[in-house]
Amino acid sequence: MLKLSTDLTVEQLLAFQWRDLELYYQELQKVTLHEGNIEDWLEGWSNLDKAIVEVDNRRYAATTQDTTDQKAKEALVNFLNTIKVNVQIYDQQLTEKLLNSGIMPSNFQMGLLSLRTKAALYTKRNLNLLNDQYVAATEYDEITGSQTVEWDGEEKTVTELQPLLLSNDRSKREAVWRASMQRQLDDRDKINALWRRLLEMRNRIAINAGLSNYREYRWLELYRFAYTPENALQFHDSIEKVFVPAVSKLMHQHKRRLGVRKLRPWDLLVESLTDKPLVPYSDPDEMEEKAINVFHKIHPDFGRAYRHMRENGLLDLHNRNNKAPGGYTLEFPISGEPFSLLNCVGLHSDLMGVLHEGGHSMHFYDILNGGKVKYYQEFESPVEFAEVAAMGTELLALPHMVSNDGDPSGGSFYSPEDHRIAEIQAFRAILTFIPFMSVVDLFQHWAYTNVSLASDPANCDAKWAELWDRFLPDADWKGFEDFKATGWHRKIHIFSDPFYYIEYGLAQMGALQVWQNAQRDQAAAVNALRRAFMLGGTVGLKQLFNAADTDMIFEVEPMQALIDTVMARMDELTSDE
């Protein structure tokens, strides 16, 4: 059988036209399936999937590395309209061919479940619409990537100003915060217009697929087999009971240490335990080299892999003008490499972002090299577990950021005292993030099940403000109500990856359990996590959690027990106050 080779250069991949690829799809289509050829047939399809994913990811990455590169955007749109749209048609035909054959390929249960779900969602009416909403979502990158502020006579991106929010000068923090927020608010009309278009497109996609709303569609598209929307709502109710009081306790302590009567939004990031912000690195090269050292200490395989990424242009970690905000890791499955993009400006949170995306990369390498995954249709783990990989790596790295001799210049990021602050910040960031995650997720539950209301951005502002006050009540936003209400404008996932956010919350529960396990035996915790990594998508989400010696948590009781452990560690770290 004619099969696409996986021994291809990047140049060859990016040069593909649809006519080059269609021959291989036609070959798969004409084969009569039987038990004797099913594995060879699946391998041929898998090879095509790998090629399509890599071209798609490379085209997308180019648009984020320079949001003004019109040629890159045109290349992405051309790929979507001339290749991907046709691939979707053939993928549906091949899926139906496999399902109708009645053949059950060995060790392919999760692959079949995903294919059945994908087939059920498919309709030709959505092919162009799916591409249109994908392209429209990139407009968010263009809008936010160009948000700059004149500061001290220089043009700065909003991201570049973030370190100033750590200043001990409260008036300076306020000025920076106001300038950043106002610049983002200046694009209110543009983002509202984009939201209306995306909401209408996504609602139409769901209706075309025979579903009542986009939440139903997205639940299936994200292969959420292990939990329901009702489970998600239970999860958020538990968070309100467990995390909100814990965060309020931390914020009360923070307010006392700052010596202020009320916490204002510009007071939330400054460190009140020390009079100087953490500076993990001053030079990008220094940061990357030290990150390699930390990964090596988690496991030598990780250190070797991250050095390979650095030496082969697979890291784009530092902020610059006209670069898309946020961060991600994408896979290049033909090349056998991941690619990571971030917007680091020298903060501790940037370092944690490097470790987070590095965790995704290590997960990719372990799936690729672990020998458990035969076909690309089962390569990717459910995203909830993919985020355990990233967040678990962050926490596994914590002990390795410190220099034993007190001098961080020799390959670690922090002195012992700064490391104490860094560990406090890591846990505080988790505790404060989880309620924010609930706001983001619940906002989308509301928007996509109340489309007529959500089509008016004023209603979206009101809903966001209501959720914010419910889950994040500790700062006083008086006089800045518009800034608070438009917070949904500043969350890229709402525009580019709808409903992709609860994954971070569920995964953080898993990551904290990985951390707990590591307190008893770090090597065993790492090994268990890597065993789960190697399974890719060959087993279900609950089985992946269990393989890593963790559980999925939705209920109050186990969540409270976990957070009690974290708060006890926080008390230990602040016992000298």
Side-chain angles (χ1 to χ4, degrees):
M1 186 180 73
L2 179 68
K3 282 191 291 191
L4 180 71
S5 170
T6 55
D7 186 20
L8 296 166
T9 66
V10 174
E11 292 74 18
Q12 288 172 318
L13 282 167
L14 295 181
F16 274 136
Q17 302 295 316
W18 174 239
R19 63 177 178 271
D20 304 316
L21 295 166
E22 188 173 20
L23 295 171
Y24 298 100
Y25 283 99
Q26 290 172 339
E27 177 75 9
L28 291 170
Q29 184 64 286
K30 72 183 183 183
V31 169
T32 300
L33 292 179
H34 53 77
E35 296 285 353
N37 67 6
I38 188 65
E39 292 190 1
D40 192 47
W41 186 84
L42 277 173
E43 184 182 326
W45 191 7
S46 178
N47 290 355
L48 284 166
D49 272 359
K50 290 178 183 178
I52 296 304
V53 167
E54 178 152 347
V55 175
D56 194 351
N57 285 345
R58 286 188 181 275
R59 292 298 188 201
Y60 172 75
T63 69
T64 62
Q65 290 182 279
D66 183 355
T67 58
T68 67
D69 187 342
Q70 286 305 306
K71 287 186 177 179
K73 184 168 184 178
E74 289 166 8
L76 174 61
V77 172
N78 180 67
F79 165 78
L80 295 174
N81 291 336
T82 65
I83 294 180
K84 193 168 184 180
V85 68
N86 289 305
V87 168
Q88 290 169 322
I89 294 170
Y90 271 102
D91 274 351
Q92 177 67 11
Q93 293 172 356
L94 296 176
T95 298
E96 291 174 355
K97 183 182 183 74
L98 174 60
L99 297 177
N100 291 336
S101 75
I103 299 171
M104 295 285 290
S106 60
N107 301 315
F108 195 61
Q109 290 86 348
M110 292 307 299
L112 277 177
L113 179 58
S114 298
L115 288 173
R116 286 193 185 101
T117 304
K118 190 175 180 181
L121 288 178
Y122 176 85
T123 172
K124 285 186 178 180
R125 289 177 294 174
N126 276 342
L127 293 180
N128 290 328
L129 196 53
L130 286 165
N131 283 346
D132 290 346
Q133 70 104 21
Y134 184 81
V135 173
T138 66
E139 293 177 27
Y140 181 84
D141 291 341
E142 294 178 27
I143 295 168
T144 57
S146 63
Q147 289 174 341
T148 60
V149 173
E150 189 78 17
W151 188 263
D152 285 345
E154 295 183 45
E155 186 181 27
K156 299 281 190 182
T157 66
V158 169
T159 303
E160 285 179 301
L161 290 178
Q162 295 308 296
L164 300 180
L165 291 172
L166 305 180
S167 170
N168 289 308
D169 183 337
R170 197 183 192 203
S171 61
K172 184 177 184 178
R173 292 199 308 270
E174 180 180 355
V176 170
W177 184 86
R178 283 174 178 256
S180 299
M181 287 289 184
Q182 186 58 56
R183 176 61 190 90
Q184 292 169 321
L185 192 66
D186 288 345
D187 286 325
R188 186 179 199 168
D189 290 343
K190 290 181 184 177
I191 293 178
N192 281 343
L194 175 60
W195 166 250
R196 289 189 191 97
R197 286 166 52 209
L198 288 170
L199 183 68
E200 195 277 330
M201 284 182 192
R202 289 165 179 166
N203 190 54
R204 201 158 14 116
I205 286 168
I207 292 170
N208 287 348
L211 300 171
S212 60
N213 59 62
Y214 187 70
R215 182 177 70 175
E216 289 183 19
Y217 180 92
R218 194 67 168 141
W219 221 264
L220 293 170
E221 188 180 35
L222 290 170
Y223 304 136
R224 289 181 175 172
F225 306 128
Y227 62 102
T228 66
E230 290 70 33
N231 293 140
L233 298 179
Q234 177 192 19
F235 184 54
H236 298 309
D237 286 343
S238 298
I239 287 167
E240 184 176 15
K241 293 179 175 71
V242 175
F243 277 83
V244 173
V247 172
S248 289
K249 176 183 175 182
L250 296 179
M251 290 298 105
H252 177 75
Q253 294 169 350
H254 182 56
K255 180 175 69 172
R256 175 178 53 77
R257 287 192 295 260
L258 287 177
V260 297
R261 190 170 62 87
K262 291 182 179 180
L263 283 177
R264 301 290 266 165
W266 50 86
D267 295 323
L268 300 179
L269 295 180
V270 64
E271 181 52 69
S272 56
L273 286 167
T274 179
D275 59 1
K276 59 186 177 106
L278 289 176
V279 182
Y281 66 93
S282 57
D283 175 79
D285 289 336
E286 171 201 356
M287 184 269 279
E288 292 176 14
E289 193 62 37
K290 288 184 175 181
I292 291 168
N293 185 51
V294 170
F295 282 116
H296 181 85
K297 289 178 178 177
I298 298 173
H299 197 284
D301 289 349
F302 289 4
R304 285 188 288 269
Y306 209 70
R307 182 173 294 283
H308 170 83
M309 290 183 71
R310 186 186 184 206
E311 292 174 350
N312 287 274
L314 297 165
L315 301 174
D316 183 355
L317 304 181
H318 308 286
N319 180 253
R320 59 180 178 272
N321 201 7
N322 296 317
K323 184 178 182 182
Y328 60 73
T329 295
L330 298 175
E331 59 200 48
F332 299 155
I334 291 287
S335 301
E337 308 284 9
F339 170 78
S340 290
L341 178 142
L342 281 164
N343 278 276
C344 299
V345 291
L347 303 177
H348 172 69
S349 58
D350 293 333
L351 171 57
M352 299 306 287
V354 167
L355 296 167
H356 180 100
E357 298 304 331
H360 282 308
S361 297
M362 300 311 117
H363 189 191
F364 172 87
Y365 281 126
D366 272 353
I367 297 173
L368 187 72
N369 300 318
K372 304 290 186 183
V373 179
K374 189 170 183 180
Y375 308 112
Y376 190 72
Q377 290 87 345
E378 290 190 323
F379 188 90
E380 293 183 329
S381 301
V383 286
E384 296 85 352
F385 187 76
E387 293 301 339
V388 173
M391 295 171 172
T393 300
E394 289 181 56
L395 295 177
L396 289 170
L398 278 178
H400 306 305
M401 296 180 188
V402 63
S403 170
N404 293 328
D405 61 7
D407 178 10
S409 63
S412 297
F413 286 97
Y414 295 121
S415 66
E417 174 56 22
D418 283 349
H419 181 259
R420 181 181 74 89
I421 302 299
E423 188 173 351
I424 291 169
Q425 287 189 4
F427 289 120
R428 186 193 300 141
I430 292 169
L431 292 167
T432 56
F433 167 77
I434 294 295
F436 174 73
M437 177 278 305
S438 289
V439 174
V440 174
D441 192 56
L442 286 170
F443 173 83
Q444 293 180 94
H445 280 265
W446 168 80
Y448 290 109
T449 57
N450 296 275
V451 173
S452 60
L453 289 173
S455 62
D456 182 349
N459 292 332
C460 295
D461 291 351
K463 174 55 70 172
W464 182 271
E466 172 196 320
L467 290 168
W468 192 273
D469 291 341
R470 175 183 166 190
F471 284 92
L472 297 157
D474 298 297
D476 180 5
W477 288 72
K478 185 176 181 181
F480 302 103
E481 287 79 8
D482 273 359
F483 291 164
K484 178 173 74 172
T486 53
W488 60 282
H489 284 190
R490 298 187 291 276
K491 181 33 63 186
I492 185 173
H493 296 69
I494 291 172
F495 296 88
S496 64
D497 291 294
F499 279 105
Y500 186 101
Y501 218 64
I502 192 174
E503 289 83 354
Y504 296 116
L506 292 169
Q508 200 62 265
M509 301 299 140
L512 286 170
Q513 292 173 77
V514 170
W515 167 75
Q516 274 189 322
N517 295 340
Q519 304 312 293
R520 295 187 288 269
D521 187 332
Q522 169 114 351
V526 172
N527 289 336
L529 190 60
R530 293 190 72 190
R531 283 196 302 272
F533 282 5
M534 293 176 190
L535 294 171
T538 61
V539 300
L541 181 59
K542 290 181 180 178
Q543 292 92 329
L544 285 168
F545 267 76
N546 293 339
D549 288 342
T550 61
D551 294 307
M552 295 187 72
I553 292 177
F554 294 94
E555 303 85 2
V556 168
E557 290 76 12
M559 188 181 293
Q560 187 68 64
L562 186 62
I563 297 316
D564 286 347
T565 303
V566 175
M567 293 297 284
R569 177 58 180 159
M570 294 279 281
D571 289 343
E572 287 176 23
L573 291 167
T574 57
S575 61
D576 292 337
E577 279 190 72

